Amino acid sequence: MYVPEDANHVHVHKEVFLPRYRLHPHWCCHPCQTYLAASPRYIRRLGIVLLVRENSNHAPSMLSTACLTNCKTIRHAIIAAGGGLVVIGLFIVGMNSGLTEWVLSLVAVWQGEPPAPHWLAKIHAIGIEALVSGIALVALGWVALPRWNWLAALAQQDSSVLTVALLTIGGLWLPVALIGHSAVIGGERYWWLDDDAMISMRYARHLAQGAGLVWNLDGERIEGYTNLLWTLYMALVHLLPIPVAQTSLIILLTNITLVVATVPIIIRFVRALGGGPLVVAATVLGFVLNKNVMAWTTAGFETILLTLLFLLAAYRIVTEAQQRTPRLFTFVIIALLSLVRSDAVILSVLLYVLAVWLNSNRMLIIGYAALSLALPIAHALFRALYYGDVLPNTAYLKVFGWEGTLLAGFRYFVAFAMHYPFALGFALIGSLLTKDKVRRALLAVVLAYMAYVIYVGGDAFPNFRFFIPILPLILTLAFLGVQSLIRTGWTTPVQGEQLSAPRTILLAVGLSVVLSGVTMAALAPMIDLLVAGAQSGSAINQWFAFIIGVSALASSVAAFFGWNALQRVLLQPAVAFRLWFGLLCLIGTPLLVPGYSWFLLPNVADVGNVTIGLLLKRNTPPTSKVADFWAGSVFYFSERYAIDLLGKSDRHIARLPAASGSTMPGHNKFDFDYSLGVLKPDFVVANFALPVDEAMLRQLATGDWAFTGQLYFNRMFQQHCLPYPIPIATWRTIFVCDWSEQISKRHDWDACSITTASNCAAER
């Protein structure tokens, strides 16, 4: 550390040049702005080392006492708040049955009626949320703030960033896979994937059994899946000697492994694009803390595999273009995308174009691309010969035959943009203003893919599945945009306030969260108008709750430090603006907190569908036919002939025009006269539970959930199935139709396989 002879200046860590300041009650927590004229010595506070020199009238004890007292007060307040949340969380999670009943009685008094069963899950979710938030605050006050410089130094090392990412995945993602997608049913723990992923599991099991890639074992060939490679991998899992209750666990653990493998690719990609250490750290942090990415990874879909291969191919294209050494293997990866998911062919096309754009030897690129096309061409020939179709059945179902495609796609995109406003903004502005040809080309890939998603109508499910493969690329371009828009590097020393000072960090976080919250609040009416809650809904509500809490904390911090500190931060645009904008990009995305606890709670619908499937398997003969809207877990666990009422695996329904004004792809085509009257199912699993409110069902008979209400009012269903419900309480009622031989046995069903021993004893 170099110390100048001029006694009016002092240098600190990394030779940050600081002017002389006298001790001031508002400044004493800033060691970078404190000057003391005692004998030369080091003063360590909050991880920042100062060398102070002589020629001052202030005694060392005055500095130590004033600075350490105020700064310790902040740390102790944060630790105390976190500790309080930890205690509250542990108390709620560990409540005994008596306390639980007391809390539920308070809820009943508040609501004026007995609480629904999900209230107990809500209470435990609040406890888990408090526990996680408390641990985060304790870590901030006890570990992060006192060692901020040390943490900043670790952020300069890619290996440290990778280690933190792996710990985050293991600590936050793995519990969701192990706990949030399993439940004990009939004394055995069952794991499952999200319902549509279980459709692929059904095809995979039939292939492993030797029946081929078919929906039903009668031999009819319909391509009701869109993820050939993922389905083939699932078939390999079904060849393992493991029970059906655990097959989904292998898929979940595979996805966790794939997301771990994705992180090093992100790091290398950012480096290849010229990103500095903090761009690397911010991009990786934005990825591993992203709620949408974790949701689809732990759902068991092929989404994270597609993301990994897309990023790997893009990274190899960029680096090989820089080195002028294109390789055939890169184009094989590009070709595999359409085998992982059929509609990812657009990503393959965009990557082919990107490779031609960035490479000078274009004839070689075209030759490699032509060779790699053998894979998707072989897949297309297999589809035509095996299924007799040009496209998957779901393509006919979701893309063709209805007029609201563009409107639905636009709403889907707007919802995504509202959840990622700052990341998209900085990715767009930063890439357009840069002279870097590669970043402009990558932006073109992003925009072209977004246009495709709009054209096909988006997706019916939350958490933006179709945008997940390009999300790491968007985050990378966003943080690169922040880095390039402010010309000074992130780690460049500046006069005045030091970047790594904890007060500056806290203020920047507070300002970023407040601005992000105000922006989201202003845009909320537009979200509700355009999306009607389909993609935002509870996420926006949770986000507002989070914004209110953190904004209050940020306001308290700003008030404590005073206007002088805030003014000095704002006078450092090269540092404060970069920090502020970077935090906006990160905080303005759907993070795991708030709402992480809900991922740890098994979804009621998933548990209910697994239960229904097991009930059907136990109480019906193998030749029974079952009709349902949910085509995943019920059919997978029941192992019965399946009639998909929404047509994902039904050629007739997929090619019909839309039967309702729904803008949910895959949920607006149905023909109950055909599904019930022609296919004659023995059992129909309705999308409602008896008793019903007919007025509510009439409202449901139109709009996005029209299939629910229209089944109830369908003449054939009301005449032949509705009068004969199975007398077992399930989350959706099972009906037996009067043309089935099983109608006489509907009172003989045994539910003990899915209930506790005490309940079974009571039933007997």
Side-chain angles (χ1 to χ4, degrees), residues 426-427 429-431 439 476-486:
F426 281 105
I429 296 173
S431 300
R439 284 171 56 189
T476 299
L477 293 177
F479 290 115
L480 285 171
V482 173
Q483 175 181 269
S484 60
L485 287 174
I486 307 297

mmCIF file of all heavy atoms in Angstrom, residues 426-427 429-431 439 476-486:
data_model
loop_
_atom_site.group_PDB
_atom_site.id
_atom_site.type_symbol
_atom_site.label_atom_id
_atom_site.label_comp_id
_atom_site.label_asym_id
_atom_site.label_seq_id
_atom_site.Cartn_x
_atom_site.Cartn_y
_atom_site.Cartn_z
ATOM 1 N N PHE A 426 -31.956 -2.730 -20.516
ATOM 2 C CA PHE A 426 -30.510 -2.567 -20.620
ATOM 3 C C PHE A 426 -29.913 -3.505 -21.662
ATOM 4 O O PHE A 426 -28.916 -3.159 -22.308
ATOM 5 C CB PHE A 426 -29.850 -2.782 -19.264
ATOM 6 C CG PHE A 426 -29.967 -1.598 -18.353
ATOM 7 C CD1 PHE A 426 -30.846 -1.604 -17.288
ATOM 8 C CD2 PHE A 426 -29.200 -0.466 -18.580
ATOM 9 C CE1 PHE A 426 -30.966 -0.499 -16.462
ATOM 10 C CE2 PHE A 426 -29.315 0.641 -17.754
ATOM 11 C CZ PHE A 426 -30.198 0.630 -16.691
ATOM 12 N N ALA A 427 -30.495 -4.685 -21.835
ATOM 13 C CA ALA A 427 -30.022 -5.565 -22.898
ATOM 14 C C ALA A 427 -30.235 -4.920 -24.260
ATOM 15 O O ALA A 427 -29.361 -4.970 -25.139
ATOM 16 C CB ALA A 427 -30.734 -6.912 -22.826
ATOM 17 N N ILE A 429 -30.863 -1.499 -24.996
ATOM 18 C CA ILE A 429 -30.144 -0.234 -25.179
ATOM 19 C C ILE A 429 -28.642 -0.468 -25.256
ATOM 20 O O ILE A 429 -27.945 0.072 -26.128
ATOM 21 C CB ILE A 429 -30.490 0.731 -24.030
ATOM 22 C CG1 ILE A 429 -31.983 1.077 -24.074
ATOM 23 C CG2 ILE A 429 -29.658 2.005 -24.132
ATOM 24 C CD1 ILE A 429 -32.450 1.876 -22.879
ATOM 25 N N GLY A 430 -28.125 -1.285 -24.329
ATOM 26 C CA GLY A 430 -26.688 -1.532 -24.321
ATOM 27 C C GLY A 430 -26.194 -2.196 -25.594
ATOM 28 O O GLY A 430 -25.127 -1.861 -26.112
ATOM 29 N N SER A 431 -26.979 -3.139 -26.140
ATOM 30 C CA SER A 431 -26.547 -3.835 -27.356
ATOM 31 C C SER A 431 -26.673 -2.948 -28.588
ATOM 32 O O SER A 431 -25.855 -3.035 -29.513
ATOM 33 C CB SER A 431 -27.374 -5.115 -27.543
ATOM 34 O OG SER A 431 -27.213 -5.993 -26.458
ATOM 35 N N ARG A 439 -22.498 -8.787 -29.878
ATOM 36 C CA ARG A 439 -23.624 -8.480 -28.999
ATOM 37 C C ARG A 439 -24.850 -8.055 -29.802
ATOM 38 O O ARG A 439 -25.986 -8.390 -29.452
ATOM 39 C CB ARG A 439 -23.229 -7.398 -27.999
ATOM 40 C CG ARG A 439 -22.348 -7.930 -26.868
ATOM 41 C CD ARG A 439 -21.781 -6.827 -26.015
ATOM 42 N NE ARG A 439 -22.817 -5.975 -25.454
ATOM 43 C CZ ARG A 439 -22.558 -4.829 -24.812
ATOM 44 N NH1 ARG A 439 -21.290 -4.430 -24.672
ATOM 45 N NH2 ARG A 439 -23.533 -4.097 -24.330
ATOM 46 N N THR A 476 -27.189 -11.770 -19.500
ATOM 47 C CA THR A 476 -25.813 -11.458 -19.889
ATOM 48 C C THR A 476 -25.753 -10.142 -20.647
ATOM 49 O O THR A 476 -24.920 -9.265 -20.349
ATOM 50 C CB THR A 476 -25.240 -12.593 -20.759
ATOM 51 O OG1 THR A 476 -25.238 -13.805 -20.013
ATOM 52 C CG2 THR A 476 -23.827 -12.269 -21.207
ATOM 53 N N LEU A 477 -26.624 -9.966 -21.638
ATOM 54 C CA LEU A 477 -26.631 -8.726 -22.418
ATOM 55 C C LEU A 477 -27.017 -7.530 -21.546
ATOM 56 O O LEU A 477 -26.515 -6.415 -21.758
ATOM 57 C CB LEU A 477 -27.604 -8.860 -23.591
ATOM 58 C CG LEU A 477 -27.225 -9.869 -24.674
ATOM 59 C CD1 LEU A 477 -28.328 -9.952 -25.731
ATOM 60 C CD2 LEU A 477 -25.892 -9.500 -25.324
ATOM 61 N N ALA A 478 -27.889 -7.757 -20.564
ATOM 62 C CA ALA A 478 -28.304 -6.663 -19.690
ATOM 63 C C ALA A 478 -27.141 -6.161 -18.846
ATOM 64 O O ALA A 478 -26.873 -4.945 -18.786
ATOM 65 C CB ALA A 478 -29.457 -7.127 -18.793
ATOM 66 N N PHE A 479 -26.438 -7.048 -18.182
ATOM 67 C CA PHE A 479 -25.325 -6.617 -17.329
ATOM 68 C C PHE A 479 -24.143 -6.119 -18.162
ATOM 69 O O PHE A 479 -23.415 -5.227 -17.724
ATOM 70 C CB PHE A 479 -24.914 -7.758 -16.406
ATOM 71 C CG PHE A 479 -25.934 -8.060 -15.348
ATOM 72 C CD1 PHE A 479 -26.596 -9.282 -15.326
ATOM 73 C CD2 PHE A 479 -26.263 -7.125 -14.387
ATOM 74 C CE1 PHE A 479 -27.558 -9.558 -14.366
ATOM 75 C CE2 PHE A 479 -27.226 -7.386 -13.416
ATOM 76 C CZ PHE A 479 -27.869 -8.607 -13.409
ATOM 77 N N LEU A 480 -23.952 -6.666 -19.345
ATOM 78 C CA LEU A 480 -22.955 -6.102 -20.248
ATOM 79 C C LEU A 480 -23.359 -4.697 -20.677
ATOM 80 O O LEU A 480 -22.504 -3.816 -20.843
ATOM 81 C CB LEU A 480 -22.791 -6.993 -21.478
ATOM 82 C CG LEU A 480 -22.016 -8.292 -21.293
ATOM 83 C CD1 LEU A 480 -22.142 -9.157 -22.544
ATOM 84 C CD2 LEU A 480 -20.547 -8.024 -20.988
ATOM 85 N N GLY A 481 -24.664 -4.479 -20.849
ATOM 86 C CA GLY A 481 -25.139 -3.146 -21.184
ATOM 87 C C GLY A 481 -24.866 -2.157 -20.076
ATOM 88 O O GLY A 481 -24.447 -1.018 -20.336
ATOM 89 N N VAL A 482 -25.091 -2.557 -18.832
ATOM 90 C CA VAL A 482 -24.773 -1.682 -17.707
ATOM 91 C C VAL A 482 -23.281 -1.376 -17.685
ATOM 92 O O VAL A 482 -22.876 -0.230 -17.463
ATOM 93 C CB VAL A 482 -25.215 -2.339 -16.384
ATOM 94 C CG1 VAL A 482 -24.734 -1.509 -15.201
ATOM 95 C CG2 VAL A 482 -26.720 -2.492 -16.348
ATOM 96 N N GLN A 483 -22.476 -2.381 -17.936
ATOM 97 C CA GLN A 483 -21.023 -2.190 -17.916
ATOM 98 C C GLN A 483 -20.565 -1.230 -19.009
ATOM 99 O O GLN A 483 -19.707 -0.384 -18.784
ATOM 100 C CB GLN A 483 -20.319 -3.536 -18.105
ATOM 101 C CG GLN A 483 -18.810 -3.440 -18.210
ATOM 102 C CD GLN A 483 -18.170 -4.790 -18.422
ATOM 103 O OE1 GLN A 483 -17.813 -5.459 -17.471
ATOM 104 N NE2 GLN A 483 -18.035 -5.204 -19.673
ATOM 105 N N SER A 484 -21.145 -1.341 -20.192
ATOM 106 C CA SER A 484 -20.681 -0.526 -21.306
ATOM 107 C C SER A 484 -21.299 0.859 -21.341
ATOM 108 O O SER A 484 -20.687 1.802 -21.849
ATOM 109 C CB SER A 484 -20.979 -1.242 -22.636
ATOM 110 O OG SER A 484 -22.366 -1.455 -22.786
ATOM 111 N N LEU A 485 -22.515 1.014 -20.798
ATOM 112 C CA LEU A 485 -23.146 2.328 -20.820
ATOM 113 C C LEU A 485 -22.406 3.324 -19.944
ATOM 114 O O LEU A 485 -22.372 4.516 -20.231
ATOM 115 C CB LEU A 485 -24.610 2.216 -20.371
ATOM 116 C CG LEU A 485 -25.558 1.561 -21.388
ATOM 117 C CD1 LEU A 485 -26.933 1.374 -20.786
ATOM 118 C CD2 LEU A 485 -25.643 2.387 -22.654
ATOM 119 N N ILE A 486 -21.833 2.845 -18.858
ATOM 120 C CA ILE A 486 -20.974 3.687 -18.023
ATOM 121 C C ILE A 486 -19.541 3.357 -18.414
ATOM 122 O O ILE A 486 -19.067 2.248 -18.189
ATOM 123 C CB ILE A 486 -21.192 3.426 -16.521
ATOM 124 C CG1 ILE A 486 -22.679 3.545 -16.192
ATOM 125 C CG2 ILE A 486 -20.373 4.386 -15.693
ATOM 126 C CD1 ILE A 486 -23.264 4.913 -16.436
#
